[in-house]
Amino acid sequence: EIANLTGAIEADADDHQSRLDLAVALNAAGKKQEALDHLLHIVRRKRDWNEEAARKQLVKFFEAWGPKDEFTLLGRRKLSSILFS
């Protein structure tokens, strides 16, 4: 699944649904940094896509990872930077 989704976003960098699905799959595989990067990419490119699906998924990850997780802290900082710049 990860390979297919990676191929889809390599073919179309603006395929936000495939990128979101890839982020979920990467997180399930324990690749938090990569999952975080893909969701932040969507927020950066088209914040309001699919009723802010990428931002909402980030929040779900942060809740699952816990407030003291290094990727939660990093992700919150980067998300804030994108949203408030």
Side-chain angles (χ1 to χ4, degrees), residues 6-69:
T6 300
I9 63 170
E10 286 173 356
D12 179 5
D14 289 329
D15 182 350
H16 300 311
Q17 185 61 57
S18 290
R19 193 176 290 275
L20 179 87
D21 294 343
L22 177 59
V24 171
L26 288 167
N27 182 60
K31 297 181 178 183
K32 293 180 183 179
Q33 179 67 59
E34 292 177 49
L36 183 63
D37 291 342
H38 284 292
L39 292 175
L40 290 170
H41 174 87
I42 297 170
V43 173
R44 207 175 289 114
R45 299 274 293 173
K46 189 154 176 69
R47 185 178 303 178
D48 61 348
W49 172 77
N50 196 15
E51 298 180 2
E52 297 189 28
R55 184 193 60 77
K56 291 175 182 176
Q57 186 61 58
L58 278 167
V59 171
K60 288 179 186 176
F61 283 170
F62 298 158
E63 290 172 358
W65 297 340
K68 295 183 184 207
D69 182 88

Side-chain angles (χ1 to χ4, degrees), residues 67-81:
K68 295 183 184 207
D69 182 88
E70 67 177 301
F71 293 103
T72 297
L73 298 171
L74 174 67
R76 286 185 189 274
R77 277 195 308 274
K78 288 185 175 186
L79 181 61
S80 293
S81 176

